[in-house]
Amino acid sequence: MFTALCATNEAIMRAKTRPELFQRVCEAAVLGGSFTSTTIALAKPDDEFLDLVLRRDRIEKGQAA
């Protein structure tokens, strides 16, 4: 978990665009935090639904992509 937190902090410092930040944070959680998947969703203004921005799943060895 500490590895994911460090990688997330680094992503915040180094990402040049919003999409790059989202990608780096998802990768940090999946690769460094031992999560099986991560999702980033943003609240829509004046709406009760979230807007799915990015999802990343862990692909295990021998598993189809």
Side-chain angles (χ1 to χ4, degrees):
M1 189 60 114
F2 182 73
T3 302
L5 180 59
C6 289
T8 298
N9 288 338
E10 186 172 334
I12 292 168
M13 299 282 290
R14 297 186 188 278
K16 304 250 189 286
T17 64
R18 241 178 140 175
E20 181 185 1
L21 173 63
F22 297 152
Q23 181 68 36
R24 286 177 178 251
V25 169
C26 277
E27 287 177 6
V30 169
L31 301 176
S34 300
F35 293 100
T36 56
S37 70
T38 58
T39 301
I40 294 179
L42 301 176
K44 293 181 181 180
D46 301 322
D47 198 347
E48 61 187 53
F49 297 102
L50 297 174
D51 189 17
L52 181 63
V53 177
L54 187 69
R55 179 172 175 210
R56 171 90 191 252
D57 295 321
R58 177 187 301 264
I59 304 296
E60 299 292 337
K61 283 186 176 180
Q63 183 181 357

